[in-house]
Amino acid sequence: MKVAVVGATGLVGTEMLTVLAARNFPVTELIPVASERSKGKEIEFKGKKYKVVTPSEAIALKPDVALFSAGGDTSKEFAPKFAEAGITVIDNSSAWRMDPTKKLVVPEVNGDVLSADDKIIANPNCSTIQMVVALKPLHDKYKIKRVVVSTYQSVTGTGVKAVNQLMDERAGKEGEKAYPYQIDLNVIPHIDVFQENGYTKEEMKMILETNKIMRDDSIKVTATTVRIPVMGGHSESLNIEFENDFDLNDVRAALAAQSGCIVVDDPANLQYPMPKDAHGRDEVFVGRIRRDDSQPNTLNMWVVADNLRKGAATNAVQVAELLAEKGLI
């Protein structure tokens, strides 16, 4: 299978290559794609070297599938051109997520929506992906009414510039800034741009994408998204109100049975999910599972995942795996 990775030189693109190799995706020919300035640069994949090409050159090479992680503007410009050439695009930007004509897919949650007609498939926001993987079995069992989520998001979600800013500050060096404020020894309650309603774009992504992926607009979601000086993964505190009551052991069992979900919940032995443990892993980790005693039918839990893996690269590769399994690519 010929696979193009658009944005192959970026943080997520690099991770996509790692995940394709780690999961033994049947790549017969890799086509690394980046902007004109990276053209000709060599990328190594499974011991072979491949030269970076431009998007237009990649289309001419007719890959079977193209994994996009090059930003919204690139996706808006080139994803339709790839699709018109009969190439299936799995796009990691926000460009197509809320387009009613495009599927927004987390394989463990709504992979059944995919069809042969889907030529541009959207990969959800990183913080939404890990949340819905954990919510799905609980919604099926107890029906979710409302979710209150606060996130603790890694600097890797912003990109290389943010990682460099954190490490420069930690080393006491001046350097290029990704954030308007210091991030080391600080938290910034601001991810993406502020909207007229006072929420940030990241918060609105979590709200709107959750309803679309779960196929249920009745689920009420409110979010506060926060950047913290961490690398390795995003963490989320979830407060979930259900229509029906639950037993905590049944909740743990339902989460443990969910594909792609690992329960780490043993407070007596100080066992709970942390970003450093999720780093480099493809699963979503859930712990601190407890009843909210302040109101009926309400649960608290803590959800952690590597935002570059399950939150981006792994999810995109899993969508490609599902398409291949169904014979759609």
Side-chain angles (χ1 to χ4, degrees):
M1 192 177 294
K2 285 169 83 168
V3 179
V5 175
V6 182
T9 56
L11 259 187
V12 175
T14 303
E15 202 65 38
M16 281 176 171
L17 297 172
T18 302
V19 173
L20 285 166
R23 295 178 72 88
N24 285 315
F25 191 79
V27 180
T28 52
E29 185 184 336
L30 178 74
I31 303 168
V33 187
S35 63
E36 191 71 46
R37 69 177 180 272
S38 295
K39 182 181 172 177
K41 186 177 173 184
E42 285 195 330
I43 296 272
E44 191 166 318
F45 178 74
K46 284 191 156 184
K48 281 181 73 178
K49 291 194 170 160
Y50 297 88
K51 278 200 162 76
V52 170
V53 300
T54 65
S56 300
E57 289 169 331
I59 293 168
L61 293 169
K62 288 278 195 287
D64 299 287
V65 63
L67 307 179
F68 268 62
S69 188
D73 291 341
T74 301
S75 293
K76 281 179 181 165
E77 182 182 353
F78 285 105
K81 292 177 181 176
F82 275 73
E84 281 160 23
I87 303 156
T88 301
V89 171
I90 302 165
D91 180 51
N92 196 54
S93 79
S94 60
W96 306 101
R97 290 175 187 158
M98 295 314 297
D99 184 325
T101 68
K102 305 292 183 285
K103 308 284 174 62
L104 183 65
V105 178
V106 178
E108 302 93 329
V109 180
N110 67 335
D112 58 300
V113 301
L114 291 169
S115 74
D117 296 331
D118 298 316
K119 284 300 172 195
I120 299 176
I121 300 157
N123 213 35
N125 184 45
C126 48
S127 43
T128 307
I129 289 174
Q130 65 187 72
M131 182 168 76
V132 296
V133 168
L135 291 181
K136 174 70 164 67
L138 304 182
H139 185 52
D140 289 348
K141 205 167 171 66
Y142 308 112
K143 188 145 178 51
I144 295 169
K145 287 172 69 176
R146 182 172 186 253
V147 179
V148 181
V149 55
S150 296
T151 72
Y152 306 73
Q153 293 181 226
S154 162
V155 293
T156 56
T158 309
V160 174
K161 195 199 286 189
V163 173
N164 291 341
Q165 179 179 340
L166 173 60
M167 300 319 288
D168 284 345
E169 288 171 354
R170 193 148 289 188
K173 293 187 337 197
E174 280 301 316
E176 197 179 10
K177 306 283 189 203
Y179 304 119
Y181 299 104
Q182 175 184 322
I183 185 63
D184 191 32
L185 300 175
N186 194 24
V187 298
I188 303 173
H190 165 202
I191 298 178
D192 214 324
V193 295
F194 281 99
Q195 310 291 285
E196 283 184 12
N197 63 0
Y199 285 77
T200 65
K201 199 172 173 187
E202 181 85 356
E203 289 157 355
M204 293 311 300
K205 285 176 194 173
M206 293 194 76
I207 294 163
L208 298 170
E209 290 178 22
T210 298
N211 292 139
K212 183 171 178 177
I213 298 162
M214 302 283 282
R215 291 174 276 190
D216 192 339
D217 288 340
S218 74
I219 300 171
K220 305 296 181 193
V221 182
T222 188
T224 302
T225 58
V226 181
R227 192 69 68 190
I228 64 170
V230 159
M231 290 193 285
H234 291 348
S235 305
E236 298 172 350
S237 170
L238 300 183
N239 179 266
I240 311 155
E241 182 185 358
F242 300 105
E243 282 192 7
N244 304 301
D245 201 8
F246 55 85
D247 174 84
L248 283 175
N249 287 328
D250 290 344
V251 166
R252 289 186 187 94
L255 288 164
Q258 164 73 345
S259 174
C261 197
I262 294 177
V263 175
V264 183
D265 189 45
D266 183 6
N269 290 301
L270 309 185
Q271 296 294 306
Y272 32 72
M274 293 181 287
K276 74 176 188 65
D277 301 320
H279 183 57
R281 300 284 298 272
D282 290 334
E283 303 87 358
V284 172
F285 298 83
V286 186
R288 297 299 319 279
I289 300 164
R290 63 211 188 275
R291 190 176 286 277
D292 177 353
D293 292 326
S294 71
Q295 67 171 12
N297 304 348
T298 305
L299 181 79
N300 287 311
M301 65 186 194
W302 177 252
V303 179
V304 178
D306 185 325
N307 54 294
L308 295 182
R309 298 279 294 216
K310 182 56 182 168
T314 300
N315 197 77
V317 173
Q318 286 174 320
V319 171
E321 288 171 344
L322 189 55
L323 291 168
E325 190 184 304
K326 290 182 164 196
L328 301 175
I329 52 171

